[in-house]
Amino acid sequence: MIDLRHPLAVLATRMPWPEIEKSLAPLLARKARMGSMKLDADMFGPTAVVVAGGLSAAGRPRLPIRLMVALLYLKHAFNESDESVVERWSENCVWQFFSGQQYYEPRLPCDPSQIGRFRKVLGEAGVEQLLKTTIETAVRIQAVKKSEFERVIVDTTVQEKAIAHPTDSRLLEVARGQLAEMAKAVGLAPKQTFEREGQTLRRKAAGYAHARQFKRLRKVLRRQRTILGVLMRDVQRKMQGLAEAARQSLQELLDRVGRIHAQTAAKANPSGRGKLYALHAPEVECIGKGKARKPYEFGVKTSLAVTHGQGLIVGARTFPGNPYDGHTLAAQLEQTNTLLQDLDVKPTTAIVDLGYRGADADIAPIELIHRGKSKRLTDKQRRWLKRRQAVEPVIGHVKQDHGMQRCWLKGPEGDALHAVLCAAGYNLRWLLRAIARKGLRVLFVSVSSLAVLTAWLVSALRQPRNLAVMASN
């Protein structure tokens, strides 16, 4: 049903699937439970025994590791969502061959939510293993030489979070609505929720901002901040009689709502923790990269390291807190060394922009090359520096074609996983282009596929003989 010359079919036979399964199997092993003590009486008197301990055989068996890893690869290689990747998998024969299937199956491989749970179980170390495998596969098929990993280009970008553009009016209204909703959910009865007035004020604020009537807008914001403070104090008075679990969850929301209540567009909240740009994602930061089309981006700073020659990604890492670029270089090169450790090669030269000035001591003995050293560079190093801009289209493709433009995963851990998986998806498409360029063929055929092919050849050889017999009769 498929053309074995298809680059994805060729890549399916070139990927080290047994090594991937072996490295990820410990993360997916069943965990032993501690159990609980229980008194049991026998002929010798009461004795304490441990019940419900050890490994449990209950539950449905896990899906094959190769299937779930292939779904993660395909999702980020072709910029699909968890829902769309399983639907497209059920319609695509080549994708199923890449996932290890022997026969076409017109069904969903799993529920979309299982991809999210599998990604969470892998963690940052597991997804880095997936990125590492793509790098080693590129060396194995001779698409890149080991010597190319000695020079890397490093740059940072912003991985934006899936949040609406933060405005004071919207944040105050969202905080009021969610606080009133949670108070009712835990059994509290606020004296007044200001639901109708809150919606009216939100609509007025949008109209005044559009008409640039800022004096009226400030008046509306003061009223929104007032009613939010009234609701906060009412909930704080009535929450003392709640159960411990309900009080803790409500207190966590109250802390975030208090930060929004205290901050304004001009200044942060008095706690010194910075502004809160989304109630559901407190880790989001406002980062300005100097773009005329987008002065501010809301997300997390992300660093990418690519090879100097062919642009294969050899490192992707997030840095919460919006640190100075030069302070991220040592950690990024450390991750790159980890990913390349099985290839017996290390980066010796890092080519960067002027944002990394002053980081020479942090990354020694790796040589740092940037435009600020132009008078001290040799002719060869100047030629290397001319390719520094090669990282920019890589960043653009990772964002637009592989999903780094917007991160939908929860928390700082979700940001870290998403960045590495987007890099792995980019490398997978890089491998497909390299296979098509080199004209590689399928390396091997499995036993079952070989049996099917043999049966087809036998039937094809017998067909002329059968036709001859029928003609003679």
Side-chain angles (χ1 to χ4, degrees):
M1 295 179 67
I2 65 172
D3 183 4
L4 290 179
R5 295 171 297 179
H6 191 285
L8 193 59
V10 176
L11 183 60
T13 64
R14 303 278 179 153
M15 294 281 284
W17 297 111
E19 297 177 11
I20 295 176
E21 294 175 355
K22 182 179 179 180
S23 61
L24 299 182
L27 300 174
L28 301 168
R30 291 182 180 272
K31 304 296 189 297
R33 296 182 295 182
M34 296 296 295
S36 58
M37 300 295 295
K38 184 178 179 181
L39 289 177
D40 188 20
D42 55 14
M43 60 184 301
F44 299 104
T47 57
V49 295
V50 178
V51 296
L55 292 175
S56 173
R60 185 176 62 179
R62 292 187 184 275
L63 292 173
I65 295 178
R66 175 172 177 177
L67 172 63
M68 301 306 297
V69 168
L71 287 173
L72 280 180
Y73 275 137
L74 295 169
K75 166 184 163 59
H76 289 277
F78 297 96
N79 198 14
E80 301 285 347
S81 64
D82 289 350
E83 291 77 14
S84 64
V85 71
V86 295
E87 293 177 2
R88 191 172 170 185
W89 185 93
S90 65
E91 302 167 355
N92 197 312
C93 301
V94 181
W95 282 23
Q96 295 193 17
F97 181 78
F98 180 74
S99 305
Q101 302 296 115
Q102 299 299 330
Y103 300 97
Y104 170 69
E105 298 186 10
R107 60 173 180 82
L108 298 182
C110 63
D111 190 85
S113 61
Q114 289 181 273
I115 298 178
R117 289 195 289 271
F118 179 75
R119 181 172 49 222
K120 188 175 181 180
V121 169
L122 290 186
E124 193 169 359
V127 295
E128 282 184 355
Q129 181 64 35
L130 302 187
L131 178 60
K132 179 181 177 182
T133 302
T134 62
I135 300 170
E136 294 173 351
T137 303
V139 176
R140 187 177 295 109
I141 66 175
Q142 298 180 356
V144 62
K145 297 179 179 179
K146 288 186 178 182
S147 59
E148 190 171 331
F149 297 115
E150 295 177 357
R151 294 192 304 275
V152 296
I153 308 173
V154 183
D155 199 6
T156 60
T157 184
V158 179
Q159 179 179 259
E160 294 188 72
K161 200 74 169 182
I163 66 170
H165 186 79
T167 61
D168 283 344
S169 176
R170 185 183 184 280
L171 287 173
L172 290 168
E173 174 58 20
V174 169
R176 183 209 59 79
Q178 291 199 15
L179 183 59
E181 183 178 352
M182 177 167 277
K184 291 180 180 179
V186 298
L188 297 182
K191 184 178 180 180
Q192 196 172 0
T193 60
F194 301 98
E195 181 176 357
R196 183 174 298 178
E197 185 180 2
Q199 294 175 358
T200 302
L201 291 172
R202 177 73 184 95
R203 187 168 56 252
K204 285 184 177 181
Y208 291 151
H210 180 72
R212 302 182 66 83
Q213 298 177 3
F214 298 118
K215 188 173 181 180
R216 292 178 176 176
L217 175 61
R218 285 193 292 270
K219 183 178 179 181
V220 170
L221 293 177
R222 282 197 300 269
R223 178 58 186 167
Q224 284 186 297
R225 194 166 279 108
T226 298
I227 64 177
L228 179 60
V230 171
L231 182 60
M232 284 174 52
R233 291 186 291 272
D234 190 15
V235 171
Q236 288 171 345
R237 285 193 299 267
K238 296 179 178 179
M239 66 181 291
Q240 303 304 324
L242 294 176
E244 182 66 24
R247 190 165 63 251
Q248 287 182 357
S249 60
L250 190 58
Q251 185 60 48
E252 182 180 355
L253 179 61
L254 276 171
D255 291 340
R256 297 184 185 179
V257 171
R259 290 174 62 183
I260 291 177
H261 179 263
Q263 74 188 19
T264 64
K267 63 178 182 179
N269 51 72
S271 63
R273 290 184 290 178
K275 290 185 180 181
L276 194 64
Y277 298 101
L279 200 61
H280 69 281
E283 71 276 3
V284 172
E285 296 144 357
C286 179
I287 303 174
K289 298 290 284 185
K291 301 176 184 176
R293 68 183 183 278
K294 191 179 291 186
Y296 302 104
E297 295 174 280
F298 299 94
V300 63
K301 178 170 284 191
T302 305
S303 176
L304 289 178
V306 304
T307 57
H308 182 263
Q310 300 194 47
L312 182 69
I313 296 181
V314 292
R317 193 167 186 174
T318 57
F319 293 93
N322 190 17
Y324 164 64
D325 282 1
H327 296 163
T328 68
L329 187 57
Q332 178 58 75
L333 293 176
E334 179 186 2
Q335 184 199 40
T336 301
N337 284 326
T338 302
L339 296 177
L340 300 177
Q341 62 183 357
D342 290 344
L343 298 177
D344 296 328
V345 62
K346 292 183 178 181
T348 58
T349 306
I351 303 167
V352 297
D353 58 18
L354 290 179
Y356 291 88
R357 282 178 295 189
D360 300 75
D362 297 338
I363 65 171
I366 299 176
E367 185 179 13
L368 187 66
I369 296 179
H370 56 72
R371 186 162 51 86
K373 297 180 176 181
S374 59
K375 294 183 179 180
R376 291 172 284 169
L377 300 179
T378 64
D379 292 340
K380 180 183 290 188
Q381 291 174 335
R382 288 194 181 93
R383 289 196 298 270
W384 293 348
L385 185 59
K386 287 183 178 180
R387 274 196 57 82
R388 191 217 66 84
Q389 293 86 347
V391 71
E392 303 296 345
V394 174
I395 292 174
H397 283 296
V398 173
K399 283 191 166 187
Q400 298 295 332
D401 301 336
H402 303 283
M404 194 182 281
Q405 183 70 25
R406 200 167 178 85
C407 177
W408 296 84
L409 305 186
K410 183 179 179 182
E413 182 183 2
D415 292 332
L417 298 180
H418 191 254
V420 179
L421 287 172
C422 289
Y426 174 89
N427 280 0
L428 195 76
R429 293 290 291 270
W430 189 96
L431 289 169
L432 296 180
R433 292 191 296 270
I435 289 172
R437 184 175 63 251
K438 294 174 67 67
L440 298 180
R441 294 292 182 262
V442 171
L443 187 62
F444 64 89
V445 181
S446 62
V447 176
S448 58
S449 299
L450 188 61
V452 172
L453 184 61
T454 304
W456 179 82
L457 288 173
V458 171
S459 63
L461 292 174
R462 288 178 177 175
Q463 187 175 3
R465 184 181 305 172
N466 295 338
L467 292 176
V469 171
M470 291 173 62
S472 62
N473 292 335

